[in-house]
Amino acid sequence: MEYGEEELVACCGSTRFAQQLAKASPFSSLQQAIAAARDIWFNKVDVHGWLQAFSAHPQIGQSPSPSAHSTSAQWSKGEQSTALATATTSSLQELYEWNARYREKFGFVFLICASGRSTDEILAELKKRYPNRPIVEFEIAAEEQMKITELRLAKLFSTKENVSSTGGDQFHQTASKKAEDRVSVIGGHLTATTVSDASVGKTNANPNPTRTRPPITTHVLDVSRGSPAAGIEVQLETWKGPEPRPLFGKSYTDGWAFLGSSTTNNDGRSGQLMSVVDDINPGIYRISFNTGKYCPSGFFPYVSIVFEIKETQKREHFHVPLLLSPFSFSTYRGS
C-alpha cells in the first residue's frame, strides 16, 4: 500500500509526520506501516510537530472545526460517538469545564483515544491525568496520539484494500471483510487497558490498594488473524542479579526473580502477573511470552521484552502489549 501526504495528515495532524511516512511508503502490510509510523512519531517529529498534531483534534465532546481536514473530522465524530451517546447535559458540562481547566494548565487539548469510551470513562481519565507534571502529561498525550494514529491507519489500510478489491468476486469480498474486522479488533485493543479477571495469575493482591489493577499488564494480539491471541503463557520477572542491570551479551545462570504467570484469555489478556501495589519497585523487568507453543510453525520459540521502570515512574501504569505474527512481532508502552 502506498500512502499520500494528504491521506496521512488525516491520521495525524503533524505535517512532518505525514511527509516522512509518505516518503517511507509503500508498505507491504498494516503492521509495517504502524512500525514506521511509531519510529517517525517518537524519533523524528519534534515538539512543534507533536503540538501541531494535538491541535488538529477537537475538544472531547465538541464537533470538529469547519476548517478541519474532512476525513479527520469524520473519523473524530466516529471515535467520539460512544462518548456522545452516553453523555448527559450535566456530564457534558462537567467535561467542558475540565477540558478548559486542562488546556489552561497544559496549553493543549486533552487527548485520549476515545473510541469505545463513555463520557464518564473519559472524564475519569481526564481528572486522573490533570495532577500530572506538564512533561509527564506531554508524553502521555503523545502516546494517546499514536494510538489514534494506529487506529486511523487501520481504517485507511482497510479503505485502500476495498478500493483495490474492485471486481466483486468472493476472494475480494472476503479480503475486504477481514480488513474491516482487523480495524474493529485493533481499535478495541488500542483503547482498552483494563485487565480481565477471567484468568487469574499466581500472585497475592494488596487488600487495600489505591490502584485498581497491577502496575504491569499485557495483552497479545495476533495481527496475522486480526484477533486476540488466546492461550499464550505469560511470565513476569524482575532483575535481582549481582549487577545493577543485566548486561548485553553476558550470560547469567540466575538473576531473574519470578513475580507471576498467567495465560491469555479469549480476549488476549493475561491475568494478574503481580500484586496490586501503589508503588512499584524501580528496576529492570522481563515479560516473556510462550509464542512457540501458540504457533509451533512460527519463527519465535518465545519472546521476551526487557524494560526499566525508574524511581520517578513508580506510580505509573505500564501496559506492555505484544502484536504478534508468525514471523514478526512488535510492542510499545501503553498506559
Side-chain angles (χ1 to χ4, degrees):
M1 296 290 176
E2 188 167 0
Y3 296 92
E5 185 178 330
E6 181 67 18
E7 296 174 305
L8 295 171
V9 167
C11 298
C12 175
S14 164
T15 52
R16 180 173 176 80
F17 171 87
Q19 290 167 355
Q20 292 286 325
L21 193 57
K23 288 179 181 178
S25 71
F27 304 108
S28 60
S29 66
L30 172 61
Q31 186 180 15
Q32 186 185 33
I34 288 175
R38 293 191 64 81
D39 176 60
I40 292 168
W41 176 246
F42 290 112
N43 299 317
K44 299 176 183 177
V45 176
D46 60 16
V47 170
H48 300 292
W50 281 14
L51 290 172
Q52 184 186 24
F54 297 169
S55 67
H57 292 278
Q59 184 172 290
I60 297 292
Q62 295 189 343
S63 299
S65 68
S67 61
H69 189 287
S70 59
T71 303
S72 178
Q74 181 183 353
W75 284 342
S76 290
K77 289 179 180 178
E79 290 155 5
Q80 294 192 34
S81 60
T82 301
L84 295 176
T86 58
T88 63
T89 302
S90 59
S91 65
L92 278 178
Q93 179 61 32
E94 186 177 12
L95 184 61
Y96 175 82
E97 292 170 358
W98 273 95
N99 269 319
R101 191 179 304 178
Y102 179 97
R103 183 188 282 273
E104 182 178 357
K105 176 179 179 179
F106 295 108
F108 50 84
V109 67
F110 173 68
L111 204 59
I112 187 171
C113 190
S115 182
R117 291 178 184 256
S118 67
T119 298
D120 288 343
E121 288 177 300
I122 292 172
L123 189 56
E125 186 67 17
L126 197 164
K127 292 177 180 178
K128 175 184 172 184
R129 285 166 49 184
Y130 180 78
N132 287 338
R133 291 178 295 124
I135 186 64
V136 173
E137 187 57 26
F138 195 51
E139 291 181 354
I140 293 175
E143 285 282 0
E144 292 297 319
Q145 172 62 61
M146 192 65 240
K147 293 178 185 179
I148 297 168
T149 302
E150 291 181 28
L151 180 59
R152 293 183 175 187
L153 282 172
K155 293 175 182 177
L156 183 59
F157 192 88
S158 175
T159 301
K160 282 183 168 289
E161 278 194 338
N162 291 341
V163 169
S164 64
S165 297
T166 54
D169 59 58
Q170 185 62 40
F171 174 81
H172 287 143
Q173 291 175 19
T174 301
S176 297
K177 180 62 168 61
K178 286 181 177 179
E180 293 166 4
D181 290 343
R182 282 201 300 273
V183 172
S184 176
V185 170
I186 291 172
H189 280 262
L190 286 173
T191 56
T193 57
T194 302
V195 180
S196 170
D197 294 327
S199 177
V200 179
K202 304 172 185 175
T203 55
N204 295 319
N206 181 346
N208 297 299
T210 301
R211 293 183 189 262
T212 58
R213 54 182 173 172
I216 299 176
T217 56
T218 188
H219 74 267
V220 186
L221 180 64
D222 188 333
V223 295
S224 65
R225 299 177 181 176
S227 64
I232 293 186
E233 298 169 355
V234 185
Q235 179 173 297
L236 181 65
E237 301 162 287
T238 185
W239 176 251
K240 297 292 185 182
E243 297 164 332
R245 62 179 63 217
L247 300 177
F248 176 77
K250 185 173 181 179
S251 298
Y252 297 92
T253 56
D254 55 17
W256 289 104
F258 175 84
L259 288 178
S261 65
S262 185
T263 302
T264 56
N265 62 15
N266 289 335
D267 197 36
R269 301 184 182 278
S270 75
Q272 189 171 312
L273 296 171
M274 67 179 299
S275 299
V276 180
V277 293
D278 291 337
D279 293 348
I280 187 171
N281 291 328
I284 309 293
Y285 291 82
R286 179 170 70 181
I287 188 167
S288 301
F289 305 84
N290 191 354
T291 51
K293 184 176 180 180
Y294 173 77
C295 184
S297 61
F299 186 66
F300 306 100
Y302 68 91
V303 169
S304 288
I305 300 166
V306 179
F307 56 98
E308 181 176 10
I309 297 177
K310 300 184 182 300
E311 175 68 30
T312 57
Q313 299 174 310
K314 62 185 181 181
R315 284 187 171 265
E316 297 179 22
H317 180 75
F318 297 83
H319 189 64
V320 189
L322 181 69
L323 280 65
L324 178 69
S325 73
F327 301 102
S328 67
F329 72 89
S330 62
T331 187
Y332 59 91
R333 184 205 157 176
S335 58

